[in-house]
Amino acid sequence: MGKKVVVTGVPGVGKTTVINGAMERLAAEGIAYKAVNFGTCMFDVACKENLVSDRDEMRKLGKDDQKRLQQAAASEIAAMSADANIIIDTHSSVSTPAGFLAGLPEWVLRKLMPDVVVLVETDPDQILMRRLGDESRVRDMEGARAIAGHQEFNRAIAAAYAMYTGCTVKIVGNENFLLERAIDDLVNVLR
Ligand code: AP5
């Protein structure tokens, strides 16, 4: 049975960057992990159904559509993680126009049953600057205070995921100029 590690964090905190660094480090040590992006699995289905034209539109869809896309992504990922060690790059909660939506509701958790949920966090001002510097994405306009609120909500909902699955919750800081430290922390969880 492979290890299932869910890596989460608010948009732009740097989760994909930290995952890529950790994957490189583990590959050099001969430890095999497959990394899968939950949003990409959802997006593939959403595109086939002509629901969206870019991934940032998904969080604006109605809650029932998002639930259906979550279920499709969770089934696909569960199938590929039967024996392999897997990292799932996703969100503890998604900020939608109707409020925070659980990224790992019961119907996703039941399929994935992660060993660890990682929360990648940093100072909200740093996240704001990273978002402003990334022109490839359509980010919501929100200030440092709203980002701080989202990070707090993510901790609260991760506690619920731990209660449901028995997984551990690991907080990994990804501060400016300290990316290597974040990678070290994630590698220690994955080893
Ligand atoms: P997804 O693609 O995961 O969106 P995202 O969170 O916006 O992901 P990003 O890749 O943009 O951010 P990141 O945190 O990975 O940052 P990055 O490494 O790029 O999801 C797309 C959509 O899918 C969601 O909006 C949602 O609709 C849907 N979705 C996904 N999962 C879902 C779920 N479970 N349920 C429902 N919907 C779901 O880094 C950002 C920048 O920071 C880069 O420029 C990088 O160079 C820089 N950076 C990183 N680390 C550092 C550092 N230490 N110092 C300085 N700069 C740094």
Side-chain angles (χ1 to χ4, degrees):
M1 187 76 174
K3 194 164 170 178
K4 274 177 267 177
V5 179
V6 171
V7 180
T8 70
V10 298
V13 72
K15 49 195 177 303
T16 308
T17 307
V18 178
I19 290 171
N20 290 343
M23 292 279 290
E24 250 179 56
R25 195 86 68 72
L26 289 169
E29 291 179 20
I31 301 172
Y33 261 93
K34 198 186 308 183
V36 46
N37 186 298
F38 197 98
T40 301
C41 295
M42 287 177 60
F43 185 56
D44 289 345
V45 178
C47 282
K48 271 187 209 132
E49 296 182 8
N50 285 322
L51 288 174
V52 294
S53 51
D54 77 63
R55 58 202 289 123
D56 288 304
E57 286 176 11
M58 288 194 294
R59 61 180 175 270
K60 312 266 167 40
L61 290 171
K63 135 170 118 44
D64 293 339
D65 277 328
Q66 293 193 60
K67 176 176 176 179
R68 208 165 36 75
L69 297 173
Q70 281 178 324
Q71 282 172 322
S75 300
E76 188 184 337
I77 294 168
M80 65 173 88
S81 67
D83 302 314
N85 291 324
I86 191 155
I87 301 172
I88 302 150
D89 181 344
T90 186
H91 292 264
S92 280
S93 71
V94 178
S95 181
T96 80
F100 292 126
L101 180 92
L104 304 167
E106 182 270 338
W107 52 86
V108 172
L109 280 179
R110 196 167 3 107
K111 289 202 163 92
L112 298 183
M113 289 305 279
D115 298 287
V116 190
V117 171
V118 175
L119 301 175
V120 180
E121 296 182 349
T122 193
D123 188 278
D125 289 325
Q126 295 179 3
I127 296 169
L128 187 56
M129 294 313 290
R130 290 177 199 171
R131 286 184 187 176
L132 291 173
D134 181 0
E135 288 178 358
S136 68
R137 300 292 300 265
V138 185
R139 305 290 192 193
D140 293 334
M141 277 300 145
E142 55 181 6
R145 208 160 152 188
I147 295 172
H150 193 177
Q151 291 199 126
E152 271 169 35
F153 186 83
N154 282 344
R155 284 193 181 197
I157 202 163
Y161 301 152
M163 290 296 292
Y164 183 81
T165 63
C167 70
T168 54
V169 175
K170 172 75 179 171
I171 294 171
V172 168
N174 179 32
E175 277 94 34
N176 281 352
F177 312 112
L178 294 172
L179 176 61
E180 288 305 310
R181 188 185 288 177
I183 293 171
D184 283 346
D185 281 354
L186 183 58
V187 165
N188 286 335
V189 170
L190 296 166
R191 259 197 204 110

